[in-house]
Amino acid sequence: MLAEIHEKLNTFLKGKGLRSTPQRNAIIDIIFESDDHFTADELWERIRKTNSKASRATVYRTLGLLVEANLLYEIDLGEDTKTYDPNFNDKPAHNHLICIDCGKVLEFEDNHLELLNDCLTRRMGFRPKSQSIRIEANCEELRTKGCCQNLIQARIAGKRLPKKR
Amino acid sequence: MLAEIHEKLNTFLKGKGLRSTPQRNAIIDIIFESDDHFTADELWERIRKTNSKASRATVYRTLGLLVEANLLYEIDLGEDTKTYDPNFNDKPAHNHLICIDCGKVLEFEDNHLELLNDCLTRRMGFRPKSQSIRIEANCEELRTKGCCQNLIQARIAGKRLPKKR
DNA sequence: CTACCTGCAAATAGTTTGCAGAATA
DNA sequence: TATTCTGCAAACTATTTGCAGGTAG
């Protein structure tokens, strides 16, 4: 998996006359060791905890490259910071459900949804390129049971919770 | 229409012990004289061209209030600036089609889409609160005819075009 | 050796905030 | 009169960029 990604990036770099460097490789390893979403700053923090090192500037520059190479997808979670999504399958759809209670993000897919969007787009006179759906919702578990695992976990991890709306 | 909005805001303000001021009223008048999307800065520019006046700080502060009062909706168009959408009907769905060629934004609605999203959300164990769909697409007119009215208009108006991807 | 890459610090863009004086209820 | 508002400028946050020295090919 990781080897595949390194190869894909190397092909991309070569095609552009760019180089493979220890920093770039370290950044990729850390990003793709999990498939979680992350922000530039979170990534930088994770890197500085390893024995590899890369400056903030390099992190930002590399993120730009990865997005350009389609190895990473930039998503909007309604915060003021960009969030990145490791994007393994070149899917044209990026659908997210965001829990208003705990900030948990779920990705989902549905063929009907994609087909319907596709039709609507064509009816409006356009050729669909990519689609992303963002659903904000309340946790049913929290509502019925009064507590929710995600929320508890988030509090333990000290994550900032969604600002109340 | 405008009167209705002013009333809605006044109710909101009273409920919070806040005040009605000339700046706030001027900002509302300018926002709701059209139903176009806008950024904070565009709004500020439009205001300074009138005989009313309000500082950038006040514009930002008022935008915050309007969003809180549900008279305005904050949308993400993939740019680095927040965009606001006058939101007349308290619709829970905010769906946008963005033309990659000219940056034109179309709003659309579809009951099937909303229903489908609603079902998917519940199946995942959540109660839907709001949904927004963002479709990026190419202009069919541009592709087949080699030019597109929106693009021409955008160039004339000197708008910044979408960065190529 | 040459062009690209990195790290630093300074620059930028968009937005927020503290404060003193002005205005509303 | 007691708060709340406003405008200004300074602060802030996330991100980008210029530059001098380091490194891959």
Side-chain angles (χ1 to χ4, degrees), chain B residues 26-64:
Chain B
I27 290 172
I28 292 176
D29 289 345
I30 290 174
I31 288 177
F32 293 99
E33 79 186 4
S34 108
D35 59 354
D36 286 344
H37 302 130
F38 60 89
T39 64
D41 233 61
E42 283 163 8
L43 176 59
W44 184 67
E45 287 294 350
R46 280 168 70 192
I47 289 169
R48 60 199 314 244
K49 280 176 193 151
T50 68
N51 43 4
S52 332
K53 59 210 172 312
S55 68
R56 257 203 184 77
T58 299
V59 168
Y60 277 106
R61 283 188 275 230
T62 304
L63 285 174

Side-chain angles (χ1 to χ4, degrees), chain A residues 22-161:
Chain A
Q23 288 89 336
R24 283 177 183 167
N25 291 324
I27 290 172
I28 292 175
D29 289 345
I30 290 175
I31 289 177
F32 293 99
E33 77 185 6
S34 107
D35 59 354
D36 286 346
H37 302 130
F38 60 89
T39 64
D41 232 62
E42 283 163 6
L43 176 59
W44 184 68
E45 287 292 350
R46 280 167 69 191
I47 289 170
R48 61 197 314 242
K49 280 178 193 150
T50 69
N51 42 4
S52 332
K53 59 208 171 314
S55 68
R56 257 202 185 77
T58 300
V59 168
Y60 277 106
R61 283 189 273 233
T62 304
L63 285 174
L65 280 178
L66 292 174
V67 169
E68 211 184 320
N70 263 304
L71 289 166
L72 220 47
Y73 192 80
E74 216 176 286
I75 57 176
D76 165 57
L77 298 181
E79 300 295 321
D80 39 10
T81 323
K82 279 178 195 159
T83 303
Y84 296 87
D85 184 3
N87 153 9
F88 295 105
N89 311 320
D90 288 20
K91 292 178 246 169
H94 295 268
N95 306 324
H96 299 272
L97 184 157
I98 297 148
C99 179
I100 302 180
D101 302 315
C102 68
K104 174 93 177 180
V105 176
L106 273 71
E107 265 182 79
F108 64 95
E109 250 186 296
D110 183 84
N111 290 331
H112 303 92
L113 206 47
E114 281 152 35
L115 182 60
L116 188 50
N117 268 332
D118 197 279
C119 294
L120 289 168
T121 305
R122 287 173 200 281
R123 187 157 58 166
M124 289 185 277
F126 291 82
R127 317 208 94 204
K129 186 103 178 183
S130 75
Q131 57 173 262
S132 55
I133 297 174
R134 180 179 133 78
I135 293 177
E136 290 187 359
N138 292 106
C139 178
E140 187 67 11
E141 194 182 339
L142 179 65
R143 197 182 66 86
T144 54
K145 299 191 190 159
C147 78
C148 134
Q149 278 307 310
N150 295 339
L151 187 53
I152 293 168
Q153 291 301 321
R155 290 224 175 99
I156 292 173
K159 291 200 177 175
R160 58 180 171 190
L161 296 176

Side-chain angles (χ1 to χ4, degrees), chain B residues 26-120:
Chain B
I27 290 172
I28 292 176
D29 289 345
I30 290 174
I31 288 177
F32 293 99
E33 79 186 4
S34 108
D35 59 354
D36 286 344
H37 302 130
F38 60 89
T39 64
D41 233 61
E42 283 163 8
L43 176 59
W44 184 67
E45 287 294 350
R46 280 168 70 192
I47 289 169
R48 60 199 314 244
K49 280 176 193 151
T50 68
N51 43 4
S52 332
K53 59 210 172 312
S55 68
R56 257 203 184 77
T58 299
V59 168
Y60 277 106
R61 283 188 275 230
T62 304
L63 285 174
L65 280 178
L66 292 174
V67 169
E68 212 185 319
N70 264 303
L71 288 165
L72 220 49
Y73 193 80
E74 216 175 286
I75 57 177
D76 165 57
L77 297 181
E79 301 294 321
D80 40 10
T81 324
K82 278 178 195 159
T83 303
Y84 296 88
D85 182 5
N87 151 11
F88 295 104
N89 310 320
D90 287 21
K91 292 180 244 167
H94 295 267
N95 306 323
H96 299 271
L97 185 156
I98 297 147
C99 179
I100 301 180
D101 302 315
C102 68
K104 174 93 175 178
V105 176
L106 274 69
E107 264 183 78
F108 64 95
E109 251 186 296
D110 183 85
N111 291 330
H112 303 93
L113 205 48
E114 281 153 35
L115 182 59
L116 189 49
N117 268 332
D118 197 279
C119 293
L120 289 168

